[in-house]
Amino acid sequence: MREKEQGSARKTKLGRPKVAEDIQKLALRLHEETGDGYTLLGGLLKRLGYNISRLTIRNILNAAGHDPQPRRDADSWDALLQRHADVIWQCDFLVKPQWAITSMKDLFQLLFIHIGTRRIWISPATNNTDANWMSQHAKFFLQHCDDVELKHTIIMRDNDGKFKKGFDEVLEAGKCYLKKNTPKSPNLNAFVERAVQIYEHECLDQFIVISLRQLNVIGREFQA
């Protein structure tokens, strides 16, 4: 009988062990201070030496009456874009193959989108995005903004190597603040990436391009 009781005492309790109260308080404090959701909080706690699952952190936040999702307050990226949408443009490259009898080569265009109005400007195409071409089309873009009376205070772009120094200098001379997005952050340039995707899938994919002139006509018709 005594052996049976001792065996019962040695049985391991089922389920996850309860998270210490001080760790729960730390998770809640970090959430209140940063506004991070349970995924980012898990990373913060891990760096502090506490390896706690996302589900556990979510349960801690829920039990305390907190929303486990990231807080979308006035300082969020989405809110920042909305506040300044009338002065922000995003830009990116798109590539379309040019078919020929003996070979195939890539043609490039620049696409700009105005965040506030969703109006776009597509540059004439080229097969060589050298410094002269980039500088020239930065000037064309600024002229377009003046023509359509849209502000261009902030220009956002990624770190593509085709963006030459002269391109940035022309925009900065035109009183633009150039915002280069951090690497591996596609969401920061989401508007232009979506615009490029629509242009490619709904328009360019319907054509076999055989000349620069043809691609230029397609671009003008799409943005009209």
Side-chain angles (χ1 to χ4, degrees):
M1 185 69 177
R2 182 176 297 176
E3 291 179 357
K4 185 176 181 180
E5 291 176 352
Q6 290 176 347
S8 298
R10 288 195 297 267
K11 287 183 179 179
T12 303
K13 292 183 179 180
L14 298 177
R16 291 177 179 271
K18 187 176 181 180
V19 178
E21 185 176 351
D22 58 337
I23 300 177
Q24 295 186 45
K25 290 181 178 179
L26 177 60
L28 292 172
R29 193 185 80 188
L30 289 173
H31 174 71
E32 291 170 354
E33 291 177 353
T34 66
D36 289 341
Y38 58 92
T39 299
L40 291 179
L41 286 178
L44 287 174
L45 289 169
K46 188 173 183 179
R47 287 196 290 272
L48 294 173
Y50 305 107
N51 194 9
I52 304 174
S53 71
R54 295 167 64 247
L55 178 60
T56 299
I57 297 172
R58 187 178 68 179
N59 291 339
I60 291 172
L61 296 178
N62 280 329
H66 292 275
D67 185 353
Q69 299 298 327
R71 185 172 64 232
R72 301 294 184 183
D73 56 19
D75 295 324
S76 70
W77 181 250
D78 291 341
L80 177 67
L81 288 180
Q82 292 303 320
R83 285 203 306 272
H84 302 287
D86 61 331
V87 299
I88 297 178
W89 290 79
Q90 293 182 349
C91 65
D92 202 359
F93 283 97
L94 57 96
V95 185
K96 179 66 177 176
Q98 177 187 357
W99 291 80
I101 296 176
T102 58
S103 64
M104 184 172 65
K105 59 184 176 182
D106 288 334
L107 301 181
F108 302 92
Q109 289 177 298
L110 266 173
L111 188 149
F112 288 78
I113 183 169
H114 184 252
I115 303 303
T117 63
R118 303 297 196 273
R119 294 185 66 170
I120 65 171
W121 180 77
I122 301 174
S123 74
T126 184
N127 55 20
N128 181 18
T129 57
D130 60 14
N132 289 334
W133 188 89
M134 293 298 300
S135 298
Q136 183 182 34
H137 287 80
K139 295 176 183 177
F140 289 165
F141 164 72
L142 294 176
Q143 182 60 55
H144 170 76
C145 291
D146 292 340
D147 292 342
V148 297
E149 298 181 345
L150 288 175
K151 297 178 181 178
H152 48 74
T153 307
I154 302 173
I155 309 295
M156 299 176 61
R157 69 166 179 82
D158 60 21
N159 292 277
D160 193 318
K162 292 188 289 294
F163 286 110
K164 304 297 192 297
K165 182 179 179 181
F167 176 83
D168 295 347
E169 290 175 344
V170 169
L171 294 178
E172 289 169 349
K175 298 181 179 180
C176 301
Y177 170 74
L178 201 64
K179 172 67 173 68
K180 300 177 185 179
N181 298 328
T182 54
K184 299 181 181 180
S185 302
N187 289 340
L188 299 184
N189 236 21
F191 289 95
V192 71
E193 291 195 4
R194 178 58 177 162
V196 168
Q197 185 181 57
I198 292 173
Y199 179 41
E200 289 177 336
H201 292 181
E202 297 186 4
C203 185
L204 293 183
D205 287 353
Q206 314 305 317
F207 297 91
I208 295 177
V209 173
I210 60 174
S211 68
L212 285 169
R213 181 179 179 183
Q214 180 192 6
L215 185 54
N216 289 338
V217 171
I218 294 171
R220 287 196 300 269
E221 290 296 319
F222 183 80
Q223 69 181 344

